[in-house]
Amino acid sequence: MTTPALLPLSGRRLPPLNLGASAFPHHRATLRLSEKFILLLILSAFITLCFGAFFFLPDSSKHKRFDLGLEDVLIPHVDTSRGDKNLGGFLIHGQGHDQHRHREEEERLRNKIRADHEKALEEAKEKLKKSRDEIQAEIQTEKNKVVQELKKKDSKPLPPVPLPNLIGINSGEPADPDIQEKRNKIKEMMKHAWDNYRQYGWGHNELKPIARKGHTTNIFGNSQMGATIVDALDTLYIMGLHDEFREGQEWIDKNLDFSVNSEVSVFEVNIRFIGGLLAAYYLSGQEVFKIKAVQLAGKLLPAFNTPTGIPWAMVNLKSGVGRNWGWASAGSSILAEFGTLHMEFVHLSYLTGDPVYYNKVMHIRKLLQKMDRPNGLYPNYLNPRTGRWGQHHTSVGGLGDSFYEYLLKAWLMSDKMDMEARKMYDDAIEAIEKHLIRKSNGGLTFIGEWKNGHLERKMGHLTCFAGGMFALGADGSRDDKAGHYLQLGAEIAHTCHESYDRTTLKLGPEAFKFDGGVEAVAVRQNEKYYILRPEVIETYWYMWRFTHDPKYRQWGWEATQAIDKYCRVSGGFSGVKDVYSSSPTYDDVQQSFFLAETLKYLYLLFSNDDLLPLDNWVFNTEAHPLPVLHLANTTLSGNPAYR
Ligand code: DMJ
C-alpha cells in the first residue's frame, strides 16, 4: 500500500462524502484523506474555542474584589481636577490598578502570616525552655495586669453631684476640763483598740484580742475585707486620729476588693461597709470611699433578684447567688435586714445619679405598705418567694429593730419631706406602744416581744436603742405628742441603765426579764453575756442631746469605766461571757461595732453638740453619720441630677 501524499487543505474543494467504502472500493484512499481533514478541522476549532474561553471569560476574583471593595477601587481614583468624570474610563483605570494592589495585598498578608507563625514558634520554643514555676509566675503577672486594668476601669470618677450642706465637722472640744479628760480617755481607748487590731488583725474583719490574731464571723463569709478598718474610719476622723485614718484609707485604696467568692450578709455589709464608706466620704471628701461604696453596692444588687424584690439575706459577692439563713422561719427574709437599707441606698442614688438603688428600697416599702399587719404590727419574717409573712413574731429588738429606726430616719434624712415614711413610723410605734410596751411591777417601762399570740416579758440589749429612737422622733410626732415620746425615751433609758446597774460588772446582759419577781435581770445563762454592744450608750447620747440632763453623762461614764476595767486586755477589748460573775471569762472578740458605735457614741456624749448636729446629720444603725438631703416627698427631685 502506497501512502498518499497529503494535499494542502486550502484551495481544494472537498470531494463528495462517501457513504460506504465497501460499496465503492476504488474510492477508499480518497475517503481516508477526507476523514483526516474533518478531524483536523474539528480539533483546530475546539482548540480555538478553548483559547477564546480562556482569554474572554470574566475573571471571578475581579468580580469579588469589586463587589466587596467598591470604595477601595473607586474612591481613591476619583480625580475631578483631571476632568476624569467618566465612569466607564474611571472603572477601567480602577481595574488595572486594583489587580496590582490586590496582588500586593495578598503578598503582604502571606508574609505577615509567615512572620506570625515563626514568631509563635519561637515563643513556644522559649516557653518550653522555662520551668513550670516561671511559666506560672508569668501567667500570674498577666492576670494581675488584667485585674489592674479592670480596677482602673472601675475607679472611673463618678458624675459630680453637689455636696449637701456639711455642717458641724469640727473638733467639738468641750470647755469643761473634767469633760475633756473623760473624752480623752475614750479617745485613748479607741487608740488601744485600733493599734492592737492594726498589729494583730490588720486586713482581717475583726480581732481576737487574747489570741492576738484575726477573727471573722459568718456575716462576712470567708472574706478578709477589713471590716474593722471600714467600720472605724469615721470614728477615727471625728476623734482627730488622722494618721490612723490615713492608714485605713491607704489599706482601702490598695486592698479592699469586692470580687471575692464569699457569701456575705447584705444587711451587715450595707450598714457597716456602705454606711462606713459613705460617712468617711462625706467627712473627709476623699473620692476613694465613694467609689468603693458604689462598687460594693453593685455587688449587693443581685440579692434583689427574687420573685418579690424582697432581697435575700445573703449574697455571694462573686456569683451574685443569694439565699436566706437556714434558721429563718420557712425560708424567710428578715424584717430588720431588708428593712435597713433605705438610708444608704438613697445616698447611693444621690451620689451616682442612678435611681436603681432608690427604686429597690422604695419597692420594698410599697410592698410592705400593701400587706396586712396583724394588730398593726410588722412580723419579723417575710418570704421573698411568696411575699407572705412567716411566723407572726414581732420585735423591736433583734430581727425587727432597725426597720422602725430607718422609717424615722428616712423622714429625717429627707429634711422631713418624706411624709410617707413618717406616717409608717407613727403607725408602727402606735401599735408597738399598744401591744408591746408595758410597765413592770417595780415601775420599769420595758418593750417585750410578741410571740405565738402572747407577749414575752423579756427585753434585749438590742431593744435599748429604742429609747434614743423615741426621743429622736418626738419632734414631729402625730397629735403633737413630743413630750410623751421624750418621756418614753427617758423611761427606756432608765430601764436599760437598771439592767447594767443590777449586774456585778455594771455592764448590761444580752437579754433581761420582767417576770416572776425578776426585774431587768438575765435569767438564762446564755443571756448573761456582754459583747461590747452600743445600744444603751446610744440612747444615753440621744437623751443627752435632747435634755442635757447630766445623768446621761454620768451613766455613760459608768459604762466607760466598766468597759475599761472588765473588757480591756493588753491585746485590745473583749466581750465577757457573764456580767454577773466577779471573775468573768472573755469571749475573745473585739467586735467592729465597738469602734464604729460604742466608742463613737461615748465620745460624742462628752463633746459639744455642734459636732455633727442632729438637724444636719442622721446616724445610720451602725452609727455612721450621713448628711440630710433635701428630697421632695419620697422622690429624688432634690438632686439636680434628676431634674
Ligand atoms: C450593730 O451592728 C448595729 O447597731 C445593728 O443595727 C444591730 N446590732 C449591732 C450592734 O449591737
Side-chain angles (χ1 to χ4, degrees):
M1 173 180 105
T2 55
T3 307
L6 279 173
L7 292 171
L9 281 172
S10 57
R12 190 178 156 104
R13 283 180 66 213
L14 283 174
L17 197 66
N18 194 341
L19 295 172
S22 53
F24 311 97
H26 61 283
H27 282 150
R28 183 161 283 192
T30 326
L31 199 81
R32 231 181 274 136
L33 202 69
S34 318
E35 274 175 11
K36 275 181 191 163
F37 260 110
I38 290 166
L39 278 172
L40 272 171
L41 262 174
I42 291 170
L43 198 69
S44 65
F46 180 68
I47 290 168
T48 315
L49 221 109
C50 284
F51 267 98
F54 186 77
F55 284 111
F56 298 113
L57 275 181
D59 180 348
S60 64
S61 70
K62 256 184 264 164
H63 265 295
K64 205 168 170 191
R65 171 133 176 90
F66 184 79
D67 288 342
L68 293 177
L70 188 62
E71 281 168 357
D72 247 31
V73 179
L74 293 176
I75 294 169
H77 307 297
V78 174
D79 184 354
T80 47
S81 68
R82 285 204 322 255
D84 192 3
K85 292 174 191 156
N86 181 316
L87 190 61
F90 177 86
L91 277 173
I92 292 162
H93 165 71
Q95 272 175 1
H97 190 79
D98 180 52
Q99 278 174 8
H100 181 65
R101 275 183 44 180
H102 183 53
R103 269 195 297 277
E104 274 182 356
E105 178 67 4
E106 273 179 1
E107 189 56 25
R108 197 185 60 75
L109 278 173
R110 228 175 270 127
N111 288 341
K112 190 177 178 306
I113 291 167
R114 210 174 293 131
D116 285 352
H117 244 86
E118 274 161 18
K119 199 174 155 216
L121 221 90
E122 276 309 304
E123 278 175 3
K125 273 190 213 158
E126 281 301 307
K127 273 250 148 67
L128 284 173
K129 279 186 213 157
K130 287 182 185 163
S131 72
R132 197 190 164 84
D133 285 351
E134 278 174 315
I135 295 173
Q136 258 167 4
E138 269 179 20
I139 294 172
Q140 193 52 46
T141 319
E142 283 302 310
K143 268 191 192 169
N144 291 347
K145 245 195 246 164
V146 175
V147 170
Q148 286 311 320
E149 284 303 311
L150 284 176
K151 268 192 187 165
K152 253 192 243 159
K153 224 174 82 193
D154 272 357
S155 24
K156 269 194 201 136
L158 292 161
V161 172
L163 275 183
N165 223 356
L166 301 174
I167 291 170
I169 306 176
N170 58 45
S171 75
E173 175 88 21
D176 181 338
D178 175 51
I179 303 299
Q180 261 178 37
E181 202 183 308
K182 288 179 170 135
R183 200 171 84 135
N184 286 340
K185 173 65 194 168
I186 294 156
K187 184 170 169 177
E188 183 278 326
M189 288 165 72
M190 178 70 183
K191 191 143 166 54
H192 181 67
W194 175 264
D195 286 347
N196 278 290
Y197 165 75
R198 192 190 53 188
Q199 191 169 355
Y200 303 116
W202 195 235
H204 290 265
N205 289 319
E206 290 173 323
L207 168 71
K208 284 176 95 59
I210 295 167
R212 297 184 184 216
K213 59 179 191 181
H215 171 259
T216 197
T217 58
N218 61 345
I219 58 173
F220 306 118
N222 54 10
S223 68
Q224 274 195 32
M225 300 204 301
T228 297
I229 302 177
V230 183
D231 233 2
L233 276 176
D234 53 5
T235 309
L236 294 171
Y237 195 90
I238 291 164
M239 291 183 177
L241 293 167
H242 294 306
D243 290 342
E244 289 78 359
F245 179 85
R246 266 190 296 276
E247 281 170 352
Q249 177 176 343
E250 207 179 304
W251 185 89
I252 286 168
D253 195 10
K254 292 201 179 127
N255 303 290
L256 190 53
D257 175 22
F258 306 114
S259 305
V260 285
N261 184 10
S262 191
E263 200 176 45
V264 300
S265 155
V266 174
F267 158 76
E268 296 288 358
V269 165
N270 177 57
I271 65 168
R272 300 191 199 210
F273 282 81
I274 296 188
L277 289 165
L278 290 178
Y281 166 66
Y282 283 119
L283 291 175
S284 70
Q286 297 296 311
E287 285 279 314
V288 59
F289 300 126
K290 177 169 74 168
I291 291 166
K292 293 280 177 184
V294 175
Q295 284 173 2
L296 178 55
K299 299 276 179 190
L300 297 187
L301 287 180
F304 292 79
N305 296 337
T306 64
T308 56
I310 295 290
W312 300 114
M314 284 175 286
V315 70
N316 184 304
L317 290 177
K318 193 163 205 163
S319 67
V321 174
R323 71 179 174 102
N324 275 343
W325 303 110
W327 48 261
S329 160
S332 290
S333 300
I334 309 292
L335 182 68
E337 298 197 332
F338 64 76
T340 310
L341 303 166
H342 190 96
M343 292 180 67
E344 297 78 5
F345 275 46
V346 168
H347 270 279
L348 286 166
S349 278
Y350 183 83
L351 290 172
T352 57
D354 185 347
V356 64
Y357 310 102
Y358 173 80
N359 291 340
K360 296 283 180 213
V361 287
M362 287 309 288
H363 176 80
I364 296 175
R365 181 192 286 181
K366 297 289 173 202
L367 201 133
L368 288 175
Q369 270 182 327
K370 274 192 260 158
M371 296 191 60
D372 277 344
R373 295 194 302 280
N375 290 327
L377 298 170
Y378 289 88
N380 292 335
Y381 300 106
L382 180 59
N383 191 311
R385 292 183 202 276
T386 61
R388 291 203 201 98
W389 298 118
Q391 278 171 324
H392 285 192
H393 291 179
T394 298
S395 166
V396 185
L399 309 184
D401 49 8
S402 43
F403 162 69
Y404 306 101
E405 178 186 349
Y406 269 38
L407 290 177
L408 174 65
K409 290 182 175 177
W411 173 69
L412 288 167
M413 209 183 75
S414 70
D415 206 7
K416 304 186 179 174
M417 302 295 282
D418 184 352
M419 291 311 295
E420 188 177 78
R422 175 78 216 201
K423 182 182 180 309
M424 286 174 80
Y425 171 76
D426 286 337
D427 290 346
I429 57 164
E430 259 176 39
I432 285 166
E433 224 184 324
K434 190 163 167 202
H435 298 288
L436 306 183
I437 299 186
R438 296 285 181 273
K439 247 194 176 78
S440 71
N441 294 339
L444 294 177
T445 303
F446 69 93
I447 310 176
E449 308 217 334
W450 192 259
K451 268 187 191 161
N452 307 320
H454 82 281
L455 184 72
E456 195 176 7
R457 296 170 67 89
K458 185 167 86 174
M459 186 166 169
H461 192 290
L462 289 165
T463 320
C464 287
F465 90 96
M469 178 178 76
F470 292 139
L472 186 63
D475 190 17
S477 59
R478 189 176 287 166
D479 306 326
D480 198 17
K481 285 165 77 180
H484 168 76
Y485 285 113
L486 201 59
Q487 175 60 22
L488 188 56
E491 287 175 21
I492 299 296
H494 173 61
T495 301
C496 292
H497 175 252
E498 285 302 307
S499 78
Y500 273 52
D501 208 40
R502 296 175 188 200
T503 70
T504 311
L505 304 186
K506 304 293 174 201
L507 290 169
E510 181 66 4
F512 39 95
K513 288 216 142 190
F514 299 86
D515 229 357
V518 171
E519 300 247 332
V521 170
V523 177
R524 291 165 61 172
Q525 190 56 37
N526 65 359
E527 291 173 345
K528 294 181 178 174
Y529 60 86
Y530 172 67
I531 56 167
L532 305 170
R533 286 198 191 278
E535 292 76 15
V536 176
I537 293 163
E538 175 182 348
T539 279
Y540 295 162
W541 173 60
Y542 279 108
M543 291 311 301
W544 164 257
R545 279 271 172 114
F546 291 114
T547 66
H548 285 155
D549 185 332
K551 79 178 174 208
Y552 296 114
R553 276 189 165 164
Q554 177 52 35
W555 291 351
W557 187 241
E558 286 168 14
T560 308
Q561 287 176 306
I563 291 171
D564 201 47
K565 189 165 177 192
Y566 298 112
C567 301
R568 187 180 184 125
V569 293
S570 58
F573 288 88
S574 166
V576 289
K577 289 186 182 164
D578 185 348
V579 290
Y580 301 95
S581 161
S582 52
S583 51
T585 47
Y586 298 113
D587 69 3
D588 198 13
V589 180
Q590 179 176 286
Q591 306 277 351
S592 79
F593 54 67
F594 178 63
L595 294 88
E597 298 190 73
T598 313
L599 292 173
K600 186 188 284 134
Y601 285 132
L602 281 173
Y603 188 81
L604 290 171
L605 180 61
F606 293 96
S607 298
N608 293 339
D609 292 0
D610 64 353
L611 172 57
L612 304 175
L614 288 171
D615 282 341
N616 305 90
W617 296 87
V618 186
F619 287 69
N620 88 339
T621 194
E622 188 78 2
H624 296 305
L626 300 175
V628 165
L629 302 172
H630 186 84
L631 304 175
N633 197 12
T634 72
T635 74
L636 288 172
S637 58
N639 181 351
Y642 286 86
R643 287 196 205 122

